[in-house]
Each structure stands twice: as structure tokens, then as C-alpha cells.
């Protein structure tokens, strides 16, 4: 019998989070209490914000359903390990869909993982080799989680940094946001030693250390970390004007474009144009546009127009060879 009410509520919550309906009698037997106590415990969970649905019948049943807000979850050891491994695998590369929110979730989870589960996570991740990787360099998940925790906690961050020319320095910063560009992670932060805003490639960061010193966030010049990063990268690298027309509504295109490329302008209900300044290789941009799975036409730069044409011809030739062999 589970006599401690908080422990019993946690056990009950863990059972209800299994996607099934639980008869009241079965819950009572699992908890070693009466059905009346189960009903009172269900009411307590509802008061805490957990949407528990009850069904009428000879025995009656309970099921946890979706509510208006996300209540805290209770995970068993295997579930916690599985989620941590998945988040760590995704966090090591800046890939679409794995952004700062995922890293914050990983930081929260690893903060409360018992040491025995931390060991299981590390062992399992070390034993698994993914078939594919992102285009960007790998990053230790621990680096991202330390950074994410300082961003969320408004805590000064110290780290070693290696610049593009190999120069190594120590930085003391007020971290503002982590930004993923699909190829790399960047930290947007206020550099206290240089008394100015800076962007740092996370794959060049080592020995991140949360100092414990709190700070009041400063106002970012551009208002958006993604926009600040975009302008910062443009200043450092050769950039070019990108103009692409899409045969799709602006809302559809915006949902598939990475945020750092900006928003397309609607031409009519079924087409739009993206005008922005970008940097990096045109070859990568050609592939990225093709991956949107939308009809598009590059208007400029001319180098990207040629690259897209060559890529299309190469794909057609590859498909032709496959068809010939298959026939």
C-alpha cells in the first residue's frame, strides 16, 4: 500500500500518462487503496492542472487527455534515457527542427537525471553511430546545455574561444540567445571585455562555465537574435543579394523557410518573392532551395541561377541512368 499521499499521486500520474483507460478498480489495486481514495486523488490531480477524464460504467475508468496547458510529466527511467539520448543526438548538429527550445529541454532533463541514468545515456550514445549527420560540425551536447541554462537563467557565461584565424581567447559574456542556422549553432551575447555585442560559433567554444553571476538583459540593437546574427555574418563574409520567386502562397513558403532568411513578399494569393541578403556558397543555397519541395525560380544572383540549372541537369541525368538500368 502507498500511504504517502505525494508519492501515491506521482505513482497515479505515472500510470495515467500511459495512453490507455484505467478502470478505477485496477488503479485501486495498483496503489493499494480504496476506490474512494482513487477518486479523491483524481480530484487532486485535476486541481493541479492535469486533465483527467472519467467514464461512467460498472467499474468506471480514467484517462489523461490533452488540456489547454502542458502539465509536468512524470517519466520512468527508460523513458528519461530515451528522451535524453534523442535530444543529445539532435543537439550535436544544427538541423532544421532542432532549435534552442530542444536544447533547453535537454538542459532541464539532464539537470535532474540521477548519476546512474547519466551514465546510461552516455554509454548508449557512445555505442550508436548515426547513418547521416548535418552539414555543420558536431558539438558536444554538454556545451549547448550549459549555454542554454545560462541563457534561461540570465547568468554570465565564461568560455574559451578559437577564432577563424586560430587565435584563442577567454571570453566573459552575458548570453542572450542560441541561434541555429541549420548548419551551425551560434551564441548571440554581450561581450563584457569588449563592451559590445558579439556572435560566437558554438563549435569553436570550449570549457563553457556558468559563473553564477546574474545580469539584467540588455536591449539587442536589432530586436531579434536571428536578425542580428544574419547582419553579423554578412559583415564578416562575402554576401550577395538573393531574389527567388515561388509558385506558392507566402504563408506556405514562410513555413518552410528557415527564419534567418527572412519572410517572402506576397505577389498574389498563389505566388510570392523572397528578397534578402545572404552569405555562403551558392551550391549550398541551391540544394537548400530544392529541399523546400516547392516550385521556384531564381532571379538573382546569376551564379546561383547557373548552379540551380546545373544541379537540375545533373539530377535529370542521374534519373535517366537509373531508368535505363531498370528497363
Amino acid at each position: 500500500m502507498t500511504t504517502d499521499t505525494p508519492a501515491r499521486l506521482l505513482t497515479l500520474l505515472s500510470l495515467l500518462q500511459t495512453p490507455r483507460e484505467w478502470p478505477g478498480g485496477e488503479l485501486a489495486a495498483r496503489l493499494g487503496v480504496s476506490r474512494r481514495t482513487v477518486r479523491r486523488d483524481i480530484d487532486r490531480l485535476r486541481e493541479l492542472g492535469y486533465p483527467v477524464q472519467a467514464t461512467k460504467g460498472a467499474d468506471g475508468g480514467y484517462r489523461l487527455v490533452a488540456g489547454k496547458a502542458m502539465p509536468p510529466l512524470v517519466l520512468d527511467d527508460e523513458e528519461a534515457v530515451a528522451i535524453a539520448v534523442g535530444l543529445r543526438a539532435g543537439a550535436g548538429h544544427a538541423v532544421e527542427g532542432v532549435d534552442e527550445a530542444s536544447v533547453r529541454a535537454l538542459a532541464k532533463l539532464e539537470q535532474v537525471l540521477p548519476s546512474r541514468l547519466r551514465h546510461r545515456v552516455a554509454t548508449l550514445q557512445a555505442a550508436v553511430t548515426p547513418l547521416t549527420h548535418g552539414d555543420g560540425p558536431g558539438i558536444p551536447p554538454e556545451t549547448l546545455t550549459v549555454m542554454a541554462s545560462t541563457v534561461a537563467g540570465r547568468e554570465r557565461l565564461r568560455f574559451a574561444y578559437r577564432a577563424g584565424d586560430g587565435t584563442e581567447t577567454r571570453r566573459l559574456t552575458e548570453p542572450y540567445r542560441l541561434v541555429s542556422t541549420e548548419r551551425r549553432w551560434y551564441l548571440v551575447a554581450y561581450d563584457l571585455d569588449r563592451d559590445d555585442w558579439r556572435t560566437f560559433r558554438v563549435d569553436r567554444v570550449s570549457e563553457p562555465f556558468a559563473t553564477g553571476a546574474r545580469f539584467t538583459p540588455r536591449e539587442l540593437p536589432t530586436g531579434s537574435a536571428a536578425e542580428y546574427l544574419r547582419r553579423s555574418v554578412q559583415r564578416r563574409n562575402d554576401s550577395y543579394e538573393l531574389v527567388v520567386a515561388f509558385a506558392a502562397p507566402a504563408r506556405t513558403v514562410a513555413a518552410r523557410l528557415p527564419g534567418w532568411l527572412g519572410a517572402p513578399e506576397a505577389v498574389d494569393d498563389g505566388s510570392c518573392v523572397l528578397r534578402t541578403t545572404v552569405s555562403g556558397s551558392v551550391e549550398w543555397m541551391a540544394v537548400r532551395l530544392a529541399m523546400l519541395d516547392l516550385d521556384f525560380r531564381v532571379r538573382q544572383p546569376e551564379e546561383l541561377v547557373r548552379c540551380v540549372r546545373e544541379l537540375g541537369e545533373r539530377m535529370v541525368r542521374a534519373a535517366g541512368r537509373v531508368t535505363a538500368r531498370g528497363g
Side-chain angles (χ1 to χ4, degrees):
M1 176 183 294
T2 307
T3 57
D4 182 65
T5 300
R8 190 176 65 247
L9 285 175
L10 287 175
T11 302
L12 174 59
L13 181 58
S14 179
L15 292 172
L16 290 174
Q17 286 177 343
T18 303
R20 54 162 289 192
E21 183 170 298
W22 289 87
E26 185 175 350
L27 287 176
R30 288 281 192 117
L31 298 173
V33 297
S34 67
R35 296 187 185 187
R36 182 179 178 182
T37 299
V38 169
R39 289 194 294 271
R40 288 201 302 265
D41 286 348
I42 292 294
D43 289 338
R44 290 189 180 99
L45 289 179
R46 288 169 175 162
E47 291 173 359
L48 292 171
Y50 292 94
V52 182
Q53 184 181 74
T55 57
K56 297 179 179 180
D59 195 22
Y62 301 95
R63 176 192 296 272
L64 193 65
V65 297
K68 294 182 180 179
M70 178 69 184
L73 297 178
V74 177
L75 305 174
D76 60 29
D77 286 2
E78 287 70 23
E79 292 166 341
V81 169
I83 293 174
V85 170
L87 289 174
R88 285 170 66 96
H93 295 275
V95 294
E96 190 169 4
V98 181
D99 53 15
E100 186 188 347
S102 300
V103 178
R104 290 200 309 269
L106 177 59
K108 291 179 181 179
L109 181 58
E110 294 202 337
Q111 182 179 4
V112 298
L113 278 180
S115 59
R116 70 178 191 282
L117 297 188
R118 289 175 182 269
H119 178 71
R120 286 177 58 182
V121 171
T123 301
L124 182 56
Q125 188 177 26
V128 175
T129 300
L131 180 62
T132 59
H133 293 276
D135 292 336
I139 301 169
E142 294 83 0
T143 297
L144 284 171
T145 55
V146 170
M147 288 184 164
S149 65
T150 58
V151 169
R154 298 178 178 179
E155 185 177 350
R156 287 181 177 176
L157 175 70
R158 189 185 300 277
F159 53 85
Y161 190 70
R162 176 179 50 82
D165 60 4
T167 303
E168 296 187 359
T169 55
R170 303 287 301 184
R171 303 296 183 96
L172 178 61
T173 65
E174 294 177 352
Y176 184 80
R177 286 289 186 277
L178 281 167
V179 182
S180 166
T181 66
E182 300 184 25
R183 291 182 293 170
R184 296 188 179 97
W185 281 100
Y186 288 87
L187 173 69
V188 176
Y190 192 86
D191 191 323
L192 293 171
D193 295 324
R194 288 152 182 78
D195 196 24
D196 198 4
W197 288 94
R198 291 288 190 272
T199 59
F200 302 94
R201 275 180 48 174
V202 178
D203 59 292
R204 294 177 177 170
V205 169
S206 61
E207 304 173 40
F209 175 73
T211 65
R214 306 289 177 177
F215 67 89
T216 300
R218 305 167 191 262
E219 184 177 354
L220 192 66
T222 59
S224 163
E227 176 62 20
Y228 183 83
L229 174 64
R230 187 179 70 85
R231 295 184 184 181
S232 176
V233 171
Q234 288 173 10
R235 287 194 300 267
R236 291 197 300 264
N237 300 331
D238 292 335
S239 59
Y240 56 88
E241 295 298 318
L242 175 68
V243 181
V244 183
F246 293 93
R251 180 181 301 178
T252 300
V253 177
R256 301 190 186 187
L257 284 174
W260 56 271
L261 273 177
E265 305 170 5
V267 176
D268 51 42
D269 291 341
S271 63
C272 61
V273 176
L274 174 68
R275 294 183 175 88
T276 187
T277 303
V278 296
S279 59
S281 70
V282 293
E283 291 81 8
W284 180 86
M285 182 58 67
V287 173
R288 185 63 186 83
L289 290 171
M291 290 174 62
L292 295 176
D293 194 25
L294 295 169
D295 290 338
F296 68 91
R297 179 179 294 277
V298 178
R299 294 181 179 174
Q300 67 180 65
E302 185 59 33
E303 184 180 1
L304 179 58
V305 173
R306 292 194 299 270
C307 186
V308 169
R309 183 183 301 117
E310 292 170 0
L311 177 62
E313 293 172 350
R314 189 176 303 117
M315 294 298 101
V316 170
R317 290 195 299 272
R321 286 196 292 270
V322 171
T323 302
R325 290 182 180 180

